Amino acid sequence: MSENPRMTPGSATSRDPRTWSRAKRNRYGWFMTFSLLFLMMLSWADKAVLGIAAVPLMKQLGITPEQFGLVGSAMFLTFGVAQIVAAPIANKVSSKWILLVLCLLWSVAQVPILLFASLPALWASRLLLGAGEGPLAPVLMHGIYKWFPEKKGATPAALASSGVTLGIVAFAPVLAWVIGQFGWQTAFAVLAIVGLLWSVFWVIAGKEGPYTSRKAEQELDGIAPEETPVMAETKIRYWRTILSPSWIFAVLASFFGYWTFTLAMSWGPAYFQNVLGFSGQQSGAMIALPAAWGTIATIGLSALTQRLHLKGVPTRKARGWVLGGAGAFAGACLVAATMTSSPALSIALMVFGFGTAPALFAITYLVVAELTTIAQRGANLSIANAVLTTGGVFAPAVSGFLIGGAATPAEGYRAAFALAGGLLLTFGVLALLFVNQQRDRRRLGLDVAAGVSLKASASGAEAAALAAATKA
């Protein structure tokens, strides 16, 4: 492949990534990826801090398990709404500025808790936090995809998505220590300060990527049109994408993955402390175990999907089967954890069950991105994320009523874990059966018949090569 044909002398110092060499674009793309990885980590630390502070917070404010479950669900009430509102904006406004506003908003969201330690303040804070964090994942993924060619975007996106779990691994033990030493309100203040510092950094370093269309990718990397699949760039009605079986079952698999991981973050620390007898600081460290496995699973599974895709394996298998298989595995582990009498084995199975669940998100984003044009990708990702994160509305509240209404806390937690695992297992299997991006792309008109682009004089070998590229 040749370098970008639009490169000009002296362009190496240009601020426009379109004029950079391919190597420089790649380096800065990875710099953006790691920057956004930290932002994703911070967002999940903001989500998890409520669960880490659960025991002292509930004791100080006199909150019941049912009330705490509703507070845990509160942020997801505005989470999905904010994503729907942001969906059309994501296609028109630079990702850099949207991400900046979101980070500032969720930093401000900590203020009510710092000023008024009460149940209404918790509600206000979590509702505002949901509005700020709701659009983050799709906008962040859309921003990363703009820095890499289509076939090389899976691993960077997975790395940023691993911030879901890395945020817990890095921040949970620290926040647990802060709570133990200085009180639970101090943990919220620490997160607000870190968010403000990242915002200053992003104003200085954040940039928009140049891969904004198939045509731009061909021009930037010097790829002749016949070297890539022939794909339509005309707009597809959103409802047609949403009603495709691949979209429905990929998003539902991650819906219950989100349910499962939110359950772990909301109630996991309290389970370790109240049922297993760990201290508050030990519980903060324990919840980092499934998160650590989640980081490995997220990066590993997404790297697998990219490797298979680069080898020419159809994405129905490279992405759809990996998504469904991972969901079924996670659900089965969690169900098994509720059935064993060995505490050590139960914890190990929970690590795999809770930890594998967030690995589904990055693969679902890849599936959804296949079912739309680049111009509509940001909005489609926002819609998909609004639906799948709704699992966070139900998990804390439903689990809170199961825990509060059970004869013993141990029975309540067991019922909550079994419910989450059973649902995830079921929809993992359904994703294995019904996610088929190649079929749905043809139905949506996103893959143009290869023969249309072939000249009348093209040889049979040339036609076969193009057809194979279209299937990849």
Side-chain angles (χ1 to χ4, degrees):
M1 305 299 176
S2 62
E3 290 284 21
N4 178 6
R6 301 191 317 191
M7 285 287 293
T8 59
S11 62
T13 59
S14 170
R15 293 185 178 182
D16 186 351
R18 292 174 297 177
T19 66
W20 295 351
S21 68
R22 192 183 310 171
K24 182 175 180 180
R25 279 198 304 273
N26 186 65
R27 287 195 303 272
Y28 209 87
W30 281 105
F31 174 65
M32 289 290 93
T33 299
F34 281 102
S35 300
L36 294 174
L37 164 64
F38 185 84
L39 183 64
M40 183 68 85
M41 291 171 62
L42 180 61
S43 76
W44 273 86
D46 281 324
K47 293 182 182 74
V49 67
L50 185 67
I52 297 170
V55 173
L57 184 152
M58 292 170 68
K59 183 177 181 181
Q60 181 177 331
L61 301 184
I63 296 176
T64 65
E66 292 86 350
Q67 289 174 321
F68 183 79
L70 291 172
V71 170
S73 295
M75 71 169 289
F76 295 100
L77 296 175
T78 51
F79 203 85
V81 174
Q83 290 176 79
I84 297 298
V85 171
I89 300 174
N91 289 337
K92 299 175 183 178
V93 180
S94 166
S95 301
K96 171 180 177 176
W97 300 115
I98 297 177
L99 292 169
L100 175 64
V101 170
L102 296 180
C103 186
L104 289 172
L105 185 57
W106 78 58
S107 296
V108 172
Q110 312 298 351
V111 173
I113 297 177
L114 301 178
L115 296 179
F116 312 103
S118 63
L119 183 58
L122 279 174
W123 270 92
S125 177
R126 301 311 278 185
L127 289 170
L128 185 57
L129 183 67
E133 294 204 350
L136 174 66
V139 174
L140 185 148
M141 291 300 161
H142 186 46
I144 288 176
Y145 291 151
K146 290 181 184 179
W147 277 103
F148 299 93
E150 191 270 337
K151 282 195 172 185
K152 296 183 179 180
T155 299
L159 178 62
S161 184
S162 71
V164 172
T165 50
L166 276 176
I168 310 303
V169 173
F171 283 99
V174 175
L175 293 173
W177 178 82
V178 168
I179 291 168
Q181 296 296 316
F182 306 103
W184 60 269
Q185 285 177 285
T186 307
F188 289 85
V190 168
L191 292 174
I193 293 170
V194 174
L196 293 174
L197 292 175
W198 187 91
S199 299
V200 174
F201 158 79
W202 187 245
V203 169
I204 299 169
K207 283 186 179 294
E208 204 77 0
Y211 290 97
T212 55
S213 68
R214 304 287 179 189
K215 182 179 179 182
E217 181 175 336
Q218 291 166 1
E219 291 178 352
L220 288 166
D221 291 340
I223 303 174
E226 59 268 19
E227 293 182 51
T228 59
V230 182
M231 300 178 182
E233 284 291 341
T234 55
K235 289 187 176 181
I236 305 296
R237 291 184 181 274
Y238 291 116
W239 66 265
R240 292 188 62 210
T241 296
I242 293 169
L243 292 179
S244 64
S246 295
W247 194 100
I248 292 171
F249 288 101
V251 171
L252 282 176
S254 278
F255 173 94
F256 289 107
Y258 208 91
W259 174 306
T260 301
F261 197 62
T262 303
L263 167 62
M265 294 305 102
S266 299
W267 287 105
Y271 169 76
F272 290 127
Q273 193 166 350
N274 292 335
V275 176
L276 298 185
F278 290 97
S279 69
Q281 194 163 334
Q282 288 172 332
S283 297
M286 289 292 292
I287 201 61
L289 292 178
W293 168 250
T295 301
I296 296 171
T298 298
I299 297 175
L301 290 176
S302 294
L304 173 63
T305 66
Q306 179 168 302
R307 182 180 178 84
L308 293 173
H309 188 29
L310 289 172
K311 284 187 173 183
V313 177
T315 54
R316 179 196 180 187
K317 298 178 180 178
R319 294 172 180 172
W321 287 11
V322 172
L323 171 67
F329 169 76
C333 285
L334 201 52
V335 170
T338 66
M339 301 171 67
T340 179
S341 58
S342 167
L345 179 58
S346 179
I347 291 174
L349 289 168
M350 286 182 188
V351 167
F352 290 117
F354 285 131
T356 304
L360 308 183
F361 310 155
I363 307 174
T364 292
Y365 298 142
L366 289 171
V367 172
V368 170
E370 286 188 76
L371 303 174
T372 183
T373 63
I374 289 181
Q376 295 174 284
R377 186 172 59 196
N380 271 293
L381 287 170
S382 292
I383 294 169
N385 206 56
V387 176
L388 73 88
T389 55
T390 306
V393 174
F394 299 100
V398 170
S399 301
F401 281 96
L402 287 173
I403 294 166
T408 65
E411 289 182 10
Y413 283 105
R414 188 158 46 247
F417 295 164
L419 175 62
L423 290 170
L424 185 53
L425 171 60
T426 299
F427 282 88
V429 172
L430 291 174
L432 272 170
L433 297 174
F434 294 109
V435 172
N436 187 335
Q437 304 93 301
Q438 281 65 54
R439 173 200 63 206
D440 291 336
R441 284 184 63 84
R442 288 193 296 271
R443 290 177 177 176
L444 293 168
L446 287 165
D447 284 340
V448 180
V452 172
S453 67
L454 295 174
K455 296 180 180 179
S457 60
S459 67
E462 291 173 327
L466 183 55
T470 307
K471 290 179 182 179

